[in-house]
Amino acid sequence: MKKLLGIPETEPALIDVIDKCCPQVLEKCLHMLPQTDRTAMLNANVIDLQWIVDRNSGVWTTGHIEESTKASTLTLCLSPSALGQAYDPWSVCLFGFMERTRVLQHCPSVVAQAWPICYQRVTSLFNVIDPTPVSDNRASLLRSSAPTKKPPSEAQRDSLAHLWKNQVALAMRLIPQMPSVAVRCASPDLSLSSSPDSLSADRSDKSSGTTASPVALYKLVIPLLRCEVVDIRDAAVNALGMINHDALKDLMEELVVYIREAIDRKQENMRRRRRRDALRLQLVRVLEKIAENGTFGISQFVLERETMSLHPTFVEYIDGARLYLETDTDGKDSSSMREVKTHFCDFIRKMIKNFSLESCGTLLSRELKRNLVNLFVGWSGSAYALPFAHGGHHGSSHHGSHHGVGSGGSGGVSISGIGVGVSGIGSGTIGASVWGSSSTTSGIGAAANTSVGTLAAEEEKLQFSALQVSV
C-alpha cells in the first residue's frame, strides 16, 4: 500500500503516531473532563484514540459546559483562560496530535493528503455559516456565485460554526508553504515600506490553477479579523494563531497590508478609529497566539540570517505599535485600547520566550528594548514604576553601567540595573494595593510588569554571561 501511494517505508502509520501521544495529549485536558471520564482514564490499561472515540459525555460531543444562568458560547478553547469559557477537550486532543513533533513531523505524506480535503471542507462549510457583513472588499471575490440557500436555524448554525472553527484551525496546521515566485539570493523583502500588493498578485496568479490554494485560504480567513460576528472573528484569530511554522512567512506576506494600517498614526474620524482599533486588537491577538504556540522560535523566516535579529516585518510592527500606543491620547481610556495594551505586553513576553538565551541578545536593538521598557513602565503606574525613578542610583551602585533606559541622563535607568527595579515592581502585594478593584487596569499593569521583567531578565542574564566569559 505504501508503495502504491508513494509513501516512504520509514514513515510510520498515522494511527500509531496518534496512539503513542494520546496519554500526553489527554493530560492537557484532564481538568476539562467530568469525574467519570477522569476515573475511567486512571483505571484504563491503554489510552489510545479508540479510548477517546468511546467517550460520550456532553463535553466531548458539543463542547458545552453549563453556567449558573446560561450555556456558555461555542468557542474554540485551547486554554481555558476565562471563567465560563467553553471547554472543548476534543479540540485540545486534535491540535495536540497536530503539534510539530508529532503528526506534522512523522507523517508528512498524511499531512500532504489531508490538506486539500480539509481546505475543501473549510470553504464549503463557510458558504453555510458566512456572516456576510465582512468589512473587506477582497472578501467578495471569494463569495460563491451559487443561488442563495435557506439559512440554517440558530441551533444548526452554532453547531456548524463550532465545526468550522476546528476545521479552519486544522487547515492552518496543514497548510503547505507557498513556492517562491522567483529565485532569491537573500531573504524576501517583507518590510512595511515595500509593496505587498504586487507580491500577492503574483502569488495569486501562480496558485489560481490549483484546487487547494493557500493564498485563497488566507484571503478567506484574514478579512474575518474585521468580522462583527464574535464567534467567526474569534475562530479566525485562533486559526491564524495556529499557523504552520513553515507557512508563517506566507501568512505575514498577507498580513503586511493589515499591519501597515494598524500602525498608521494619521488623524481619523471616530468611526474609522473604532474600526482600526478593532483591527489592532485582533492583529495583536493573532501574533500573541503565534508566540504562545512557540512558532516564532522554530520558523526559519523569523530571524535574519546575518544579524540573527527579528525579521524587519516584526521589528517594524513592534516599533510602530509602540509609537502609536506611546503617542495615543484620545483613545487611551477606551476598553479596546486597554485590551490592545494588555495583549501587546503579552505578545512581547511570549515572543521572547520562543528563543534561547543566546538568541535574545540580538532579537531587538538596544534602543528598541529601551523604548519598550519605558513604555511598559509608564503603563505600570506610579507605585510600580517607583524603583525606576531612582534607576540612575541603582544602576551605578549595583553595576556601574552607563546605558540608561530613559533619554535623560539623571532619569535614566541602566539596562543592567533593570533586574533590580523589576524585583520591586513585580511584587504581588504592591500590585494589589495599587490597582484595587480595576481588573482591566490590573491586567495591563501585570502584563506590562511581566514584559518589563522578561526584557530585563534576558538582558541581565546576557550581561552576566558576558562577564563570566570575560573573566
Side-chain angles (χ1 to χ4, degrees):
M1 181 64 73
K2 286 187 175 181
K3 289 182 179 180
L4 292 175
L5 297 175
I7 301 175
E9 291 291 337
T10 56
E11 183 172 324
L14 174 64
I15 188 65
D16 294 337
V17 175
I18 291 178
D19 284 345
K20 184 178 180 180
C21 64
C22 272
Q24 293 80 16
V25 169
L26 278 170
E27 287 181 4
K28 295 183 178 180
C29 60
L30 188 62
H31 62 285
M32 304 179 185
L33 304 181
Q35 188 59 45
T36 54
D37 285 346
R38 296 186 194 181
T39 304
M41 182 177 173
L42 294 175
N43 296 331
N45 295 324
V46 177
I47 300 293
D48 54 14
L49 184 59
Q50 185 61 50
W51 188 91
I52 297 177
V53 172
D54 291 339
R55 301 305 98 199
N56 57 11
S57 59
V59 71
W60 288 98
T61 56
T62 63
H64 274 93
I65 55 172
E66 294 294 328
E67 294 179 335
S68 57
T69 56
K70 61 179 180 178
S72 61
T73 57
L74 278 167
T75 29
L76 177 63
C77 176
L78 299 181
S79 56
S81 56
L83 182 62
Q85 188 177 15
Y87 286 129
D88 189 356
W90 169 240
S91 295
V92 175
C93 291
L94 175 61
F95 296 107
F97 301 148
M98 297 305 299
E99 288 183 6
R100 182 179 69 97
T101 57
R102 292 168 180 161
V103 172
L104 293 183
Q105 177 178 320
H106 295 290
C107 305
S109 299
V110 173
V111 171
Q113 294 177 32
W115 152 244
I117 299 173
C118 187
Y119 170 84
Q120 185 62 39
R121 293 187 178 184
V122 167
T123 53
S124 298
L125 187 55
F126 184 74
N127 291 330
V128 180
I129 64 166
D130 187 354
T132 300
V134 180
S135 303
D136 194 302
N137 294 331
R138 290 177 297 174
S140 61
L141 299 176
L142 299 170
R143 302 200 185 281
S144 172
S145 58
T148 305
K149 298 180 181 180
K150 181 181 179 181
S153 65
E154 184 176 353
Q156 289 175 328
R157 187 188 176 281
D158 284 345
S159 179
L160 293 175
H162 184 62
L163 176 62
W164 188 79
K165 290 170 187 178
N166 283 341
Q167 288 183 349
V168 70
L170 179 61
M172 288 296 173
R173 295 301 294 160
L174 299 172
I175 193 168
Q177 182 179 5
M178 286 290 296
S180 301
V181 295
V183 177
R184 303 174 187 264
C185 37
S187 59
D189 180 16
L190 299 183
S191 62
L192 304 185
S193 58
S194 64
S195 175
D197 297 332
S198 59
L199 181 61
S200 297
D202 292 339
R203 288 150 50 87
S204 298
D205 292 341
K206 186 164 185 176
S207 61
S208 58
T210 60
T211 303
S213 167
V215 172
L217 183 62
Y218 293 135
K219 291 188 180 298
L220 172 68
V221 178
I222 292 176
L224 295 176
L225 295 177
R226 300 184 188 274
C227 181
E228 296 180 1
V229 180
V230 176
D231 281 353
I232 302 299
R233 185 188 64 212
D234 287 349
V237 171
N238 277 292
L240 295 174
M242 298 291 290
I243 187 68
N244 188 323
H245 64 281
D246 288 330
L248 180 60
K249 177 177 73 70
D250 302 324
L251 173 61
M252 295 308 300
E253 287 178 357
E254 297 297 330
L255 283 176
V256 161
V257 65
Y258 291 84
I259 294 175
R260 179 186 297 165
E261 181 179 352
I263 65 176
D264 190 0
R265 291 181 289 152
K266 66 182 179 183
Q267 294 293 328
E268 53 199 357
N269 58 42
M270 185 61 66
R271 181 171 177 269
R272 185 174 178 83
R273 178 188 176 83
R274 287 200 191 99
R275 185 170 178 264
R276 188 170 293 185
D277 283 349
L279 175 62
R280 291 183 177 111
L281 174 59
Q282 306 313 322
L283 190 60
V284 73
R285 287 179 63 202
V286 168
L287 294 174
E288 181 190 350
K289 287 180 179 296
I290 294 175
E292 184 176 327
N293 290 326
T295 309
F296 287 111
I298 57 179
S299 175
Q300 296 181 354
F301 151 74
V302 173
L303 296 182
E304 291 286 272
R305 295 176 184 176
E306 296 181 358
T307 62
M308 296 304 291
S309 60
L310 283 179
H311 192 280
T313 304
F314 301 109
V315 174
E316 291 181 45
Y317 167 73
I318 292 172
D319 200 32
R322 176 195 63 81
L323 284 170
Y324 174 78
L325 294 171
E326 196 171 59
T327 57
D328 177 64
T329 55
D330 297 334
K332 64 180 181 179
D333 295 326
S334 67
S335 60
S336 63
M337 289 309 298
R338 287 197 294 269
E339 286 189 81
V340 169
K341 291 177 181 179
T342 302
H343 286 290
F344 182 70
C345 291
D346 287 334
F347 159 60
I348 296 296
R349 174 177 59 86
K350 294 174 182 178
M351 183 268 296
I352 291 176
K353 291 297 185 181
N354 278 207
F355 301 94
S356 65
L357 177 60
E358 293 74 16
S359 301
C360 288
T362 56
L363 287 181
L364 303 171
S365 66
R366 180 175 291 272
E367 180 182 2
L368 183 51
K369 291 178 185 177
R370 181 182 300 118
N371 290 334
L372 286 172
V373 169
N374 281 333
L375 179 67
F376 296 152
V377 167
W379 293 345
S380 299
S382 58
Y384 277 147
L386 187 60
F388 288 86
H390 306 90
H393 173 72
H394 286 305
S396 60
S397 61
H398 286 276
H399 295 279
S401 174
H402 63 279
H403 296 290
V405 174
S407 57
S410 60
V413 184
S414 66
I415 289 288
S416 58
I418 293 179
V420 178
V422 170
S423 63
I425 290 178
S427 170
T429 305
I430 296 178
S433 61
V434 171
W435 297 116
S437 60
S438 178
S439 59
T440 305
T441 307
S442 177
I444 297 175
N449 293 331
T450 307
S451 297
V452 171
T454 302
L455 287 168
E458 298 296 351
E459 189 74 19
E460 194 81 5
K461 291 175 184 176
L462 285 169
Q463 293 193 7
F464 181 72
S465 301
L467 286 173
Q468 286 183 316
V469 173
S470 63
V471 173

